[in-house]
Amino acid sequence: MILVTRINGSVFALNPDLVERVDCTPDTVVTLVDGTKYIISESVPEFIDSVRHYRASLIAQASRMETEPAAGAESADDATTAAKVLQLHRKER
């Protein structure tokens, strides 16, 4: 979620994955995929920058999660009691 500011000054969180487009008319209008529109005080470049930072933070966090051992992970000695992970493959049509 990113924080954006309405014209009246109130701040709210917006899911950038639901944004269809952002227009400058001269106010910045954010249109969601369901047709909901919000007028915000941020400019279009500021909004796009916020979305970029949000998505970059998600990628960075996912990268850290891949390299860090899981909390409560079992040691190699417990390999016989560890759960088996099976790779699932899609059926070819």
Side-chain angles (χ1 to χ4, degrees):
M1 302 289 264
I2 60 172
L3 297 178
V4 291
T5 309
R6 295 179 194 257
I7 294 295
N8 67 4
S10 64
V11 177
F12 69 101
L14 179 69
N15 183 348
D17 296 329
L18 299 178
V19 173
E20 179 179 331
R21 71 176 180 268
V22 181
D23 300 307
C24 184
T25 64
D27 294 326
T28 305
V29 179
V30 178
T31 305
L32 304 184
V33 293
D34 68 354
T36 304
K37 294 185 179 200
Y38 296 103
I39 300 174
I40 60 172
S41 62
E42 289 83 358
S43 67
V44 172
E46 289 173 328
F47 180 81
I48 291 170
D49 195 43
S50 294
V51 172
R52 282 187 183 143
H53 285 325
Y54 166 75
R55 293 196 173 141
S57 71
L58 290 180
I59 293 168
Q61 184 176 3
S63 177
R64 281 193 301 272
M65 290 173 69
E66 287 180 358
T67 59
E68 293 176 357
E74 298 175 8
S75 66
D77 295 336
D78 295 332
T80 56
T81 60
K84 303 287 184 193
V85 177
L86 300 175
Q87 293 293 334
L88 299 179
H89 301 284
R90 297 182 83 161
K91 288 184 178 181
E92 293 185 28
R93 294 181 186 198

